[in-house]
Amino acid sequence: MWLNPEEVLLKNALKLWVTERSNDFFLLQRRRGHGEPTGRFTGLLVGALDTVLDSNARVTPFRILLQVPGSQISWVIASGVAIEEVNKHWDWLIHNLLHSLSVFENKQDVASFVRGKVRGLIAEDAWGRQAAQEEDPAKFRDALLKFELHFGLPSSEKLVTYYSCCCWKGRVPRQGFLYLSINHMAFYAFLLGKEVKFVIPWADVMRLERVSSGLMTEAIRVNTRQRQREFSMFLNLEETFGVIGQLADISLRRLLDSEGLELDRVLQQPTRITKRILEEQALREYVLALFRLPRSERLHEVASCSVWTPHSRCHTAGTLYTTDSYLCFSSREEGNCILLIPLSEVLSIEKAESTSLLPNPVIVSIRTKKAFQLIELQDRDELVENLNSRLRALQWKQSMFRNKKDGKRKVSSPTPYYTFYYDTGYSDEEEIEEQVLRNTINSEALMTAFHQNQPGANGNKSTEQEKERLWDDHFSEFGRGVHMFRTEKIQRLVAMGIPESLRGELWMTFSDASSELESHQGYYTSLVQKSMGQSNLATEEIERDLHRSLPDHPAFQNPTGIAALRRVLTAYAHRNPKIGYCQSMNILASVLLLYAKEEEAFWLLVAVCERMLPDYFNRRVIGAQVDQSVFEELIRERLPELADSVPDLSTLSSVSLSWFLTLFLSVLPFHSAVRVVDCFFFHGIKAIFQLGLAALEANATRLSASTDDGQALMILTSFLDQVGSEESSCPPSSPPAAAAAETSSSDSEIPAVRPTNITDLINDSYEKFGDLSVRQIEKLRCRHRIQVLQAHEDTIKENTLRLVIPDVSISPENLTDVYDLFKTEHFISLYWGDSSSAAAAEAAAWRYTDSSRSFIERQYRLDRPQFKSLYGLLAPWPGVENQHADTLANRTFTLLDQNQDNLVTFREFSSWLDTLYCEELNEKIRLLYRLHIPPALTESEDDPSLMKSPLVSTNRPLYVNLPDDVEEEVKDYHKQLKQMLQDLVKEKERDVEKPLPLMNQREFIQFCKTLYSMFHGAPEENDLFQAIATVTSLVLQIGEAGHRAHGSSSEVPEAEPAQESAGDAGNVKTAEKDWTISFAQILASLLTEQALVNFFEKPVDLTVKIAEAKEKQYHQRAGLLSLQQGNR
């Protein structure tokens, strides 16, 4: 393959290469020992060397060198593993370049010409590989060239796709091309001699909309913080809108919350993203949501087919989706017939005899002695072969797991714990009993022991028996277990309410938690053993919320129920520390424990948190807020009259947050809320959207007439409080909230709503809003996630500025712009920088857990190269572009990096900028002085070392290993840590008031060098140079006089306290023997020269500097990074 030309000083170093072919300009060489008889010693030696080298350092056996006659320098331009590959490159050089090189008079020009040609071949080859993946490679190659030519972005900015369209400016359309890349959308138009082009980073996109107006039939509106753009005249607007939404969503998830939001492995590598990948990813997201599959499942095959459905006695047409562990079938009309077959349940997949009535049939046999017939499968042979391959791999994995498990049982056979329910009163042995319960896993659902204590439970036995009979009939016709046919009939049964005896089983079936349980035998028990007894933030929050979980239910007024809830929540926090514990999980887990065995409840919680409600339970509940925003749009779309009468729908959508987080468990009476959970496990989040819309629709008249947000809230609260169910023996009562709402509504002459039955509300939701599809929800989620993430970014920005503004004199407007530059610098490195350093900086920004720091300091932070880039853009002095400026930027970074983590926070950056632009002369000189003493100035500027004696509080001890017999040590530890951090802050504040350390002669020379470099290019350059020469002479005389005075003194004075506090005393000699000068002496000397005073007191307009930085930052950094990548 062609290589980026790399210099080789010795063409035949150590005789490691043998020349096979040569001419005046090129050499084809073979690695010694490759292809030779094995008896030669040199060949054996070189072969052994190549073998022991790391794979990244190994050398390919063939290479082509470019040589210039009379020069000792050569360049490696191609290499290969096989001689055939290298011969192709050699032949190309001979036929296309060799004859042209003879016309060059200057032989050095030959090297430049050939190196440029090879780089062009490499770029063309890269474009070719990318273009080959597109439908029309030639056109895409042309678009790729134009994209790089027009916008000048680095080559790593991969183009995904492009569209011809119009961009509107007012009423004027501009016809051109819209280019969509992994980090940006860009538009270029050239019409009548006028060029229009702009670039919009995906990180700036706030909202995407489809709009219509008089001039445009339909357009895509892209809103950023600065302005909005409208694009129209697309050949396929639906496709374009989807691709734009996907790219914006993926980019924001990767840039703004890479630690919190789940992102597919392929999408975490932006350079692999293509239009085809985006289409596959959109389909995969839909399949995962429709069948509620684990997020790790990969989609393999999608095929149209028909499945024999015994209940309808015919074949039902639809689509088959195959993943790593599942066969999934959905009818053409979503929801009419769904079939889910885990491969773990499958015995065999076989091709049957094909006939005219049954074309290309396939029989899938499962362990329950049932079989499913699929027909009309295209590419049947390949599909069956792939499925059987995955089936064999899964069966082998299961057999290995069973063998390993059996082996462990033979070694040790731990006795399982079982819980026998009995009433536990208060006794002397209560403490011992609770310890036993903490480690005892329940073998039955809590409802089996506490059902009889529920009010009204005995009056509905006939209803429960009738429901059980209907479900038994359904099982006999549609099957039982995960692989049952899910049709509209089962939907009606779920709406009627699942009988309590079957609720746990059906929840496990609908969520397919049963497959997870089957494939992870013993996993929960081991988790409980590992997690119980540990103490961390999650366990503290769990303990605080245990007694708040369904406190009115007798199961959780008992140590048995509390202990089971503790085990489930603690085990899950241990399994998934990324989520840990989130409020509302306790309510959900409580309900799951009532109707399912403890281990089943754990796997149901896993299914809900990781599959059915993705991103709901991360640190910022992004998923719930996204669905809340989607719900607001559905209100506008499905309830337009209510939306028109309530201009601000944020109140109604904010009320719904608890609906989504707790699945209505916190707002409905218990028995009614459990019915909602039934629907949720069958339909997923779609059921919550439908029910929420039905609740608003039932109260639309009263909500339209409400006068304020509080009244609207009371209306919904009173309505939901009175939603009853058949399980309740008495009609729902009116709680105080409901009574207050009725009083308020009567005063406003708003008609009261009679109590509603949960069955009627569920049926209304299916009847009126049942056409809401999973595909529609997923598309809305993609768009609204953009808005939610950007809203979080705005909140972070506001918090940052609110904390920093009081400490600086920079205007809020300028500080806002500086924050944008700071954030953009971080993003630019994530776009095109070194992936390892960018990833490290991003991880550090999110994982910083020092609780003493303010919220914002855990956000965007810059490493050294990023800081140096901003330094060059914002430093106010004329000489920042010279070579010494890089040294000064390094020192500034070291000085600002107070906590020595190699990252600078926005607060630290703002403080530095405030000193340069807003402080008095003496503070500016103080900053320059500090830049030329340790820790900013080090012995080796190339390898700056940090402070060797970091400031640590010694006022209070810090316990690391706590005594086992003291129960309160953990709390004491946190108190001591907090006190230590407070002491640290106080000592740092006291340090500011201490005198600065003295400066030695070497440091003063560096100080003068910095001043000379700063004055270079200034309008008064000559006067400033003369002034600094005078000051330098004066200070040297002062220092020399002090040095002589110390030398002639017979008494040895004590070391300055300030020197002891410098933190780098080991690098500086004592004051008796060293030439030193103080900050006060330097400041007084500088004040004697008016030219210097004028220079430092001259106001610099930060607004102008920021505007220039905005113009330069993007393309300056892009060009620099492109140059760095080209030199690699």
Side-chain angles (χ1 to χ4, degrees), residues 303 349-355 358-363 374-387:
I349 303 173
E350 301 172 322
K351 295 179 286 186
E353 188 67 27
S354 182
T355 65
L358 300 176
N360 296 333
V362 171
I363 305 299
L374 291 76
I375 64 171
E376 298 176 344
L377 277 165
Q378 294 183 351
D379 300 325
R380 178 183 65 163
D381 295 346
E382 182 180 357
L383 176 64
V384 171
E385 183 180 350
N386 292 338
L387 287 174

Side-chain angles (χ1 to χ4, degrees), residues 724-782:
S725 66
E726 295 84 350
E727 286 81 356
S728 302
S729 59
C730 55
S733 59
S734 294
E742 289 173 4
T743 304
S744 174
S745 62
S746 61
D747 294 342
S748 305
E749 297 183 356
I750 300 175
V753 175
R754 291 180 299 176
T756 304
N757 187 280
I758 186 63
T759 303
D760 296 335
L761 188 62
I762 291 174
N763 287 330
D764 283 347
S765 72
Y766 282 130
E767 181 180 344
K768 297 176 180 177
F769 308 106
D771 60 331
L772 184 64
S773 67
V774 173
R775 192 182 297 274
Q776 182 183 358
I777 291 172
E778 286 303 304
K779 288 182 179 179
L780 290 173
R781 277 176 165 177
C782 182

Side-chain angles (χ1 to χ4, degrees), residues 137-202:
K139 287 186 177 180
F140 191 84
R141 185 194 296 261
D142 184 52
L144 195 58
L145 289 168
K146 290 180 179 177
F147 175 68
E148 294 197 359
L149 175 66
H150 295 324
F151 303 104
L153 298 178
S155 57
S156 56
E157 182 65 20
K158 182 178 179 181
L159 179 66
V160 177
T161 188
Y162 67 100
Y163 298 97
S164 173
C165 67
C166 280
C167 177
W168 292 78
K169 185 177 181 180
R171 296 177 176 271
V172 180
R174 292 183 173 87
Q175 181 66 37
F177 284 91
L178 181 66
Y179 299 90
L180 306 180
S181 68
I182 54 177
N183 297 307
H184 304 83
M185 64 183 304
F187 179 80
Y188 180 85
F190 186 83
L191 189 64
L192 300 177
K194 187 174 182 180
E195 184 181 62
V196 176
K197 65 178 179 179
F198 55 82
V199 176
I200 303 174
W202 294 123

Side-chain angles (χ1 to χ4, degrees), residues 443-463:
S443 59
E444 295 295 336
L446 293 179
M447 191 62 81
T448 59
F450 299 98
H451 176 73
Q452 66 273 16
N453 297 329
Q454 287 298 304
N458 296 326
N460 295 284
K461 287 185 177 179
S462 60
T463 304

Side-chain angles (χ1 to χ4, degrees), residues 410 465 534 766 768 815 818 861 965 1016:
K410 291 176 183 178
Q465 290 172 355
Q534 293 187 1
Y766 282 130
K768 297 176 180 177
L815 197 62
V818 171
R861 298 187 286 170
D965 56 338
H1016 183 72

Side-chain angles (χ1 to χ4, degrees), residues 24 65 87 130 297 318 348 353 385 446 448 535 573 595 702 735 767 775 792 847 872 937 948 987 995 999 1038 1065:
D24 291 341
L65 296 181
N87 278 335
Q130 185 177 349
E297 287 293 303
S348 65
E353 188 67 27
E385 183 180 350
L446 293 179
T448 59
S535 178
Y595 296 101
R702 302 180 75 204
E767 181 180 344
R775 192 182 297 274
H792 276 275
R847 291 175 185 166
L937 181 68
K948 296 182 180 179
E987 289 185 34
M999 180 181 285
I1038 294 172

Side-chain angles (χ1 to χ4, degrees), residues 248-261:
D249 175 48
I250 292 168
S251 182
L252 289 175
R253 279 197 279 176
R254 180 170 51 85
L255 296 173
L256 303 186
D257 202 352
S258 59
E259 293 296 314
L261 295 177

